[in-house]
């Protein structure tokens, strides 16, 4: 059948009737650049829609229009078409049945150096979406401990002359240090120099175009520590022609997803909607368990692991969650999903693949144990009871009593087959107020928390559900519409050292190169008590690479070595510790406090640079405590990396909405110079001893984080290593600049294992370093 194409005259009349216009590419690009790649963490994602391209949407509109004309009559065509949904990058799904309205202009307000900006807001018949950013929050605005009061309140949207709009949902995230570990303590902090939120409210009345965006307090800040009761006046206007939404391509469900009555439904991936943007597609669909998943009555499917997209020639392709697409809540057996997929692949089709899912099975199995009349805190009972739960054998190994503020109750330890990941238990007789769980597949624990006295005597518990992994794979091929605009092919970076290369290096490790030595300083186990690594048995130690000898320095964090290898420094209680590695003398550097961390020796060994938690700025002082100098100013959170080779400047990273910016600051003039920006979550970077190269950890397109090497100006970038979902921490240069040392994190074990490794920057040869039992953070002769 020949493809139907409308005449230009008919297409123009359709466009005029619908008052629809092509998206302004500059507008789309600007929104995509500003909003599409922001970090977003927080509230659960609830995306649900997608888009497509310009030629296809024109044809689709015409066909729908012709069919609708027969069904509802020409007079009602425009009203029916206006109910179609569309997409605006950063804003998400919109409809225009009552007239789309947008923010007349961005609104900014500054108080006490803190800047609040509402950059975008859109109103349709169903909801109002508001995007706002906050920058310049000083560290003293946040609570000093995680137990202290903080601002939990969401901003309100107050229509002129009406009641506040209902909050439907939202998500957001910040840049800066999340969960900073205070030196010498276990207090997690949540300091962020800035953040961005996308909030969804109910729709404003059609006759209301003015509203107040009211922020009672800034997210996460301590009461009264930052300006409160912000009021930003928002004005909405009809969407101008260049804000036309990108249309949504609705796909016809396949027979497999909608079988005839009585026929079994196959489990699998189903694509339901597509949005085409200039540089990417948004694919929206669901995973449906169907009736073909074994194991009985599966009533719920939890999010899967092992999701990937490959091209027709088997190449892994770039995709990421569509954060601004709001999905419906998951239903029993149906898990919605939405991903953005980069254009530029040359070999269709794309194949979406789910390797396994985690499914919940209902259960009703009881067990008992006798805690006795007066159990003691920490008391453990060996139980070793076997149960059949949802077709799986589960062993209740033991129970432990905890009596503290957070774990006031019993924790039960279970063992089962590797595919079993967790179970749910209830105490119907005593009604606990909370619960928790942990562990890994096959070995896990479940705890119940009581408010008040913990029940004693003979206790009865009920297993109500079991979570098990079901292996796939399930695949879904998809080819872009033939009408998609051509794009420039994208060549993805290929790591020099892959996960498979690393596995081979571990299986057959090469010896350490002859003559390679020096001292490594690490954080890890210093007390062999047989327990898991914890603040009670961990600390700082020095490892001699040539002899394998260890020298424990004591409890502490953030260790470093002087360039000559004679001294060490680290953070802990009372201040920065300075250790003479020859004599073992350990002293507190005068003028430093518990709130100082991440020390770094100057090249000549006479000074220490460090970060002061009190204001999150960089400082320098002499080893005797004299000459304290505050190097940076302002609310930005500086992540200290080190010194320049001449000792005249500090090198550091600044987190922002786009990742990490590496900079240098001159200690005499205060001049700040930008060096390199990359998509990283921390300033994991190291400058070569000759000052020519920088190694850093950044997100690899389509993959997780990888190790890059580049010139200081960002030129000649190389992807040295990317180990799939295994982590890489570090890096650290060898004193002669011939090797890089990284810490490889294996997440597949019950407790993540860290293996330091040498990488040759020239050949990418990897050599695992066994026997260190810690995370290496510096290397000196």
């Amino acid at each position: 059948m020949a493809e139907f194409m409308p005449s230009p005259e008919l297409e123009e009349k359709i466009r005029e009737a619908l008052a629809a216009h092509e998206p302004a590419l500059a507008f789309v690009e600007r929104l995509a650049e500003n909003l599409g790649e922001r970090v977003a963490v927080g509230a659960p994602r609830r995306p649900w829609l997608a888009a497509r391209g310009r030629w296809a949407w024109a044809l689709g509109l015409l066909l729908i229009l012709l069919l609708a004309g027969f069904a509802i009559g020409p007079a009602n065509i425009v009203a029916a078409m206006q109910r179609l949904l569309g997409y605006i990058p950063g804003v998400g799904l919109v409809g225009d049945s009552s007239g789309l309205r947008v923010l007349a202009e961005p609104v900014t307000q500054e108080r006490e150096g803190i800047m609040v900006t509402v950059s975008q807001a859109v109103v349709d018949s169903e909801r109002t979406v508001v995007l706002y950013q906050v920058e310049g929050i000083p560290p003293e605005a946040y609570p000093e401990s995680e137990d202290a009061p903080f601002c939990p309140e969401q901003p309100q949207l107050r229509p002129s002359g009406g009641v506040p709009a209902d909050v439907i949902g939202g998500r957001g995230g910040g840049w800066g240090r999340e969960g900073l570990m205070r030196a010498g303590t276990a207090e997690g902090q949540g300091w962020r120099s800035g953040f961005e939120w996308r909030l969804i409210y109910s729709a404003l009345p059609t006759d209301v175009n003015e509203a107040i965006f009211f922020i009672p307090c800034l997210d996460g800040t301590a009461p009264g520590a930052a300006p409160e009761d912000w009021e930003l006046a928002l004005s909405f206007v009809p969407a101008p022609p260049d804000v036309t939404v990108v249309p949504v391509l609705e796909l016809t469900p396949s027979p497999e997803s909608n079988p005839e009555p009585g026929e079994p439904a196959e489990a699998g991936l189903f694509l339901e909607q597509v949005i085409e943007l200039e540089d990417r597609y948004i694919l929206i669909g669901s995973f449906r368990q169907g009736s073909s998943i074994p194991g009985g009555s599966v009533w719920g499917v939890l999010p899967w692991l092992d999701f990937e997209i490959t091209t027709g020639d088997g190449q892994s392709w770039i995709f990421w969650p569509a954060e601004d697409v709001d999905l419906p809540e998951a239903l029993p057996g149906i898990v919605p999903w939405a991903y953005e997929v980069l254009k530029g692949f040359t070999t269709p089709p794309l194949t979406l693949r789910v390797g396994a899912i985690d499914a919940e099975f209902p259960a009703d199995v009881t067990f008992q144990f006798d805690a006795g009349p007066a159990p003691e805190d920490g008391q453990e009972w060996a139980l070793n009871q076997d149960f059949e739960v949802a077709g799986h054998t589960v062993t209740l190994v033991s129970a432990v009593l905890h009596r503290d503020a957070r774990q006031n109750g019993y924790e039960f330890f279970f063992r089962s087959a590797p595919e079993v990941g967790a179970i749910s238990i209830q105490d119907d007789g005593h009604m606990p107020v909370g619960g928790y769980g942990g562990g890994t597949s096959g070995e896990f624990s479940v705890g119940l928390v009581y408010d008040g006295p913990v029940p004693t005597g003979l206790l009865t518990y009920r297993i109500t559900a079991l979570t098990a992994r079901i292996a796939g794979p399930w695949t879904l091929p998809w080819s872009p519409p033939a009408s998609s605009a051509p794009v420039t092919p994208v060549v993805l970076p290929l790591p020099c050292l892959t996960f498979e290369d690393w596995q081979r290096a571990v299986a057959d490790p090469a010896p350490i190169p002859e003559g390679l030595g020096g001292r490594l300083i690490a954080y890890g186990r210093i007390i062999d008590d047989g327990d898991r690594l914890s603040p009670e048995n961990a600390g700082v130690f020095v490892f001699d690479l040539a002899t394998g000898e260890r020298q424990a320095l004591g409890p502490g964090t953030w260790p470093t070595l002087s360039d000559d290898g004679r001294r060490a420094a680290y953070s802990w209680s009372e201040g920065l510790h300075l250790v003479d590695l020859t004599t073992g003398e350990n002293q507190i550097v005068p003028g430093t406090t518990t709130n100082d961390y991440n020390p770094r020796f100057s090249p000549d060994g006479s000074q220490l640079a460090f970060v002061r938690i009190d204001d999150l700025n960089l400082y320098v002082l002499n080893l005797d405590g004299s000459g304290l100098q505050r190097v940076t100013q302002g609310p930005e959170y500086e992540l200290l990396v080190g010194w320049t080779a001449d000792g005249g400047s500090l090198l550091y990273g600044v987190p922002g909405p786009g990742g990490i910016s590496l900079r240098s600051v001159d200690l005499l003039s205060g001049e700040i110079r930008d060096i390199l920006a990359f998509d990283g979550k921390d300033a994991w970077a190291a400058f070569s001893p000759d000052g020519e190269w920088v190694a850093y950890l950044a997100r690899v397109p389509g993959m997780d984080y990888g190790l890059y090497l580049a010139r200081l100006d960002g030129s000649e970038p190389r992807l040295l290593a990317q180990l799939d979902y295994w982590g890489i921490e570090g890096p650290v240069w060898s004193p002669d600049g011939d090797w890089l040392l990284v810490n490889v994190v294996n997440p597949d074990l019950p407790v993540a294992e860290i293996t330091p490794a040498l990488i040759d920057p020239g050949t990418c040869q990897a050599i695992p370093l066994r026997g260190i039992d810690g995370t290496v953070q510096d290397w000196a002769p």
Side-chain angles (χ1 to χ4, degrees), residues 61-244:
L61 280 177
L62 179 63
L63 295 177
I64 293 173
L65 182 63
L66 294 175
L67 292 174
F70 291 108
I72 61 177
N76 296 320
I77 287 178
V78 172
M81 293 303 296
Q82 287 178 339
R83 289 196 293 269
L84 290 176
L85 299 175
Y87 169 84
I88 296 178
V91 173
L93 176 67
V94 296
D96 59 356
S97 61
S98 296
L100 193 65
R101 289 173 287 166
V102 300
L103 190 66
E105 60 182 0
V107 180
T108 298
Q109 189 176 121
E110 182 178 1
R111 294 168 59 187
E112 299 180 17
I114 299 175
M115 190 86 69
V116 175
T117 300
V118 177
S119 59
Q120 181 77 350
V122 173
V123 184
D124 65 13
S125 61
E126 301 295 331
R127 62 182 189 165
T128 303
V129 180
V130 177
L131 284 79
Y132 82 102
Q133 302 83 34
V134 179
E135 298 181 273
I137 304 175
E140 59 267 22
Y142 290 101
E144 292 188 358
S145 74
E146 61 182 9
D147 296 326
F150 63 93
C151 172
E153 299 184 57
Q154 291 285 11
Q156 301 175 10
L157 185 63
R158 299 176 172 178
S160 177
V163 298
D166 295 329
V167 178
I168 299 175
R171 60 182 291 107
W175 46 92
R177 168 68 70 171
E178 299 276 9
L180 177 65
M181 189 68 71
R182 183 181 287 272
T185 74
E187 295 179 356
Q189 306 299 303
W191 296 314
R192 300 170 297 173
S193 61
F195 61 85
E196 179 179 68
W197 272 86
R198 172 180 174 268
L199 297 176
I200 306 171
Y201 301 89
S202 56
L204 295 180
T206 56
D207 58 346
V208 174
N209 292 313
E210 305 292 331
I212 296 296
F213 188 63
F214 176 72
I215 306 176
C217 50
L218 301 179
D219 182 50
T221 58
E228 299 179 344
D229 297 337
W230 299 72
E231 295 188 4
L232 287 79
L234 309 183
S235 296
F236 294 91
V237 298
D242 63 349
V243 191
T244 301

Side-chain angles (χ1 to χ4, degrees), residues 582-639:
T582 301
T583 65
E585 180 185 6
N586 190 325
Q587 62 180 356
I588 304 296
V589 178
T592 64
T593 73
T594 301
N595 293 344
D596 298 334
Y597 81 104
N598 194 18
R600 295 285 176 173
F601 284 96
S602 61
D604 64 5
S606 66
Q607 293 179 297
L608 282 175
F610 60 93
V611 181
R612 177 153 286 175
I613 289 179
D614 294 338
D615 54 27
L616 296 180
N617 280 289
L618 305 182
Y619 286 77
V620 169
L621 85 171
N622 298 321
L623 297 188
D624 61 5
S626 64
L628 180 66
Q629 175 189 355
R630 177 173 170 172
V631 179
T632 59
Q633 310 287 331
E636 295 83 11
Y637 174 43
E638 285 86 16
L639 302 157

